[in-house]
Every structure is written in structure tokens, then in C-alpha cells.
Amino acid sequence: MTVAAMVAEFDDVAGWTADAVEELGIRYAIPAACRGSASPAALAWLAEACELSAGTRLLDVGAGAGGPAAWAAERFGVRPILVEPMQAACRAASRLFGLPVVAADGARIPLLSGSVDAAWCLGVLDTVEDKAGLLAEIHRVLTPGASFGLLAVVAHSNESLWAPDGNHFPTQHELSTLLDRSGFTLLEQTSRPKAAPLSWSRRVEQVNAAIAARHRSAHAYALAARQGERLSRLFASDQISMQLIHAISRPTAEQGPR
Ligand SMILES: C[S@@+](CC[C@H](N)C(=O)[O-])C[C@H]1O[C@@H](n2cnc3c(N)ncnc32)[C@H](O)[C@@H]1O
């Protein structure tokens, strides 16, 4: 990933978030480290859909600073494995939650085929150019029949959008086709469930305020803020929307029917 604004947003801000949480306290960690705009209601929908339970080996691809995986470990007792290409985000997930993190691109996951019970990929797909490659790699590491939870932002038309740098939003049709061609059966989909409660969003705001107080004058801060503003404008004008998807990994021909 070489787009400067994306490095600012996903690397610099992840490191700043970990610093701010360490100052404010650990109860800020999970809300602040959920950077794919997942609310607890969205995470709960995905976790229930995927039937996560104690001991599930959950792979989180593009895990960022680790908030969603830490939430799933805390609430459902899963054993998460995080894959994330940004070094500062990897360090943040490890510092904040002590989770196992592999610094890698989601298109080349250093895990054995069929070695994980379930996977999540939250707010990542639109930031990736080779979406088919990423999905095919997630399919490879999942056991046949395993659940895949996806939080994806879709475009409402084929028109070109004034998107955040490096972001390409698939249409619903493109997303459904991509999933199918990558070996997934889409079982259920919903738009973003209820917004986060104030007790959650206030913690996010406090962490954001601490980051602003310390880094407002940094170039990376301005770049990351511009990314966020562009995304908010697209949501506000209803040009994009957030979708939660539960899909199942179909067995390949070699794996046979299950
Ligand atoms: C919007 S953030 C979401 C982070 C996290 N999933 C969450 O919900 O808090 C998008 C993440 O995708 C990661 N990402 C971008 N390209 C990727 C790729 N090719 N493979 C894996 N992750 C990628 C970014 O580094 C970033 O951490």
C-alpha cells in the first residue's frame, strides 16, 4: 500500500490511537481500535451470524489496531489471529490487546490451507485493489463450510465517486459476483444495524480528541482527516452504504462435498 493518505490513516493513526489509549485507560481500547466503523451491534450481528463461540479460531484480515478481534475474544471467547499489512497497526494491536498479529498482505496470508474456523474482513475490501485475490486467499485458509463475516462499503451506482484516496467501492452486483467467484455463498446481508451507544461513541471521541491535541499539525493528520471527510460526505449523500454480510466457504472440487 503506497498511497500516502492510506498510510496516514491506517498506520500513523493506529499508532497514535494506541498512545492515546495508554494515556486514557484500557476501557477506551476496543471502541477506539474499531476503525472499520463497526458498532457493537454490527459486531454482534456478524458474531452471531458466524456462530462464533469459545475456542473458535477466528482470522481477522485487515485487522487494523485489533478492536473487532479483541471484542470477539472478550465477548465470545474466540481465539483470534490478526493479519494486517501496516506495521504500526500491528504493533498497536499487540500493545493494546496482546493479540497474535501477522504483518502480511491479505492476498498472501502465511497460514496453511483450511486452517481457520471462521474469518472476518471489516472495512477492508474497498481499500484493496485486487479484491478477488484477497477473497480467494481468505477462502483458501478457511475450512470448507466455514463462516465468513464481511463488513463492506458498496457504491449505489457505477458513477465515479470522489472517494478517499486509494478506495474503490464495488457495487452490490460486483460484490455478490466477487464473493461467488471466490468460492463463497452469500447467506445473509443487512445494512448497518443500530449506531453505537453513547458510552461507546464518547470513548471514541475522547481518543480522537487526544490524538488531535497531540498531532493536529502533522501532515499525516491532515491526510487522514481528509480521507474521513470524503467518506462521510459519500455516506451523507447516500452514494455509498455499509453492508454486513454472512457468507459460507464452499468446498473446492478437490475438497469434495461436505
Ligand atoms: C478501515 S481499516 C479497518 C480496520 C479493522 N478491520 C477495523 O474494523 O477496525 C482498513 C484496514 O485494512 C487494511 N488493509 C488495506 N489493504 C490491505 C490488504 N491488501 N490486506 C490486508 N489488509 C489491508 C488497512 O491497513 C487497514 O488496517
Side-chain angles (χ1 to χ4, degrees):
M1 188 189 306
T2 50
V3 177
M6 292 172 87
V7 174
E9 190 182 7
F10 301 142
D11 207 42
D12 294 287
V13 173
W16 297 343
T17 300
D19 294 341
V21 166
E22 282 171 355
E23 274 173 34
L24 290 164
I26 198 63
R27 56 182 284 274
Y28 292 81
I30 289 180
C34 284
R35 289 277 161 185
S37 300
S39 67
L43 295 175
W45 189 92
L46 289 167
E48 292 292 353
C50 295
E51 297 186 55
L52 300 185
S53 62
T56 303
R57 230 166 111 84
L58 173 69
L59 172 69
D60 191 345
V61 179
W71 180 92
E74 191 179 285
R75 300 280 195 266
F76 285 76
V78 304
R79 291 183 296 141
I81 315 158
L82 282 60
V83 168
E84 165 58 47
M86 291 281 146
Q87 297 289 339
C90 292
R91 285 195 297 276
S94 169
R95 276 165 69 190
L96 292 175
F97 307 113
L99 292 172
V101 191
V102 184
D105 192 295
R108 287 180 297 281
I109 301 171
L111 294 175
L112 293 175
S113 300
S115 62
V116 294
D117 305 322
W120 275 3
C121 186
L122 312 181
V124 179
L125 208 59
D126 54 283
T127 70
V128 174
E129 225 170 277
D130 181 9
K131 301 181 197 329
L134 181 88
L135 291 172
E137 185 64 348
I138 294 172
H139 183 270
R140 181 187 68 76
V141 298
L142 279 169
T143 54
S147 278
F148 177 41
L150 181 66
L151 186 158
V153 180
V154 298
H156 294 166
S157 77
N158 286 311
E159 282 166 32
S160 69
L161 300 175
W162 202 45
D165 288 355
N167 283 234
H168 311 274
F169 304 105
T171 61
Q172 177 64 49
H173 177 69
E174 286 164 347
L175 180 59
S176 304
T177 305
L178 269 169
L179 281 167
D180 186 49
R181 289 192 180 152
S182 310
F184 290 102
T185 300
L186 196 165
L187 291 187
E188 194 178 5
Q189 175 165 349
T190 182
S191 296
R192 189 180 172 184
K194 287 196 184 86
L198 279 177
S199 60
W200 174 287
S201 52
R202 281 196 182 129
R203 279 176 280 167
V204 176
E205 282 161 21
Q206 278 173 268
V207 170
N208 288 344
I211 292 172
R214 191 176 277 195
H215 301 286
R216 190 177 279 121
S217 57
H219 181 55
Y221 183 90
L223 287 178
R226 193 187 60 184
Q227 294 285 89
E229 282 156 20
R230 286 193 188 169
L231 195 64
S232 303
R233 234 176 273 142
L234 293 175
F235 277 119
S237 56
D238 201 31
Q239 291 175 281
I240 57 174
S241 62
M242 191 172 283
Q243 303 295 322
L244 301 176
I245 289 171
H246 174 220
I248 291 284
S249 166
R250 286 194 304 271
T252 58
E254 303 85 70
Q255 289 162 335
R258 298 253 160 163

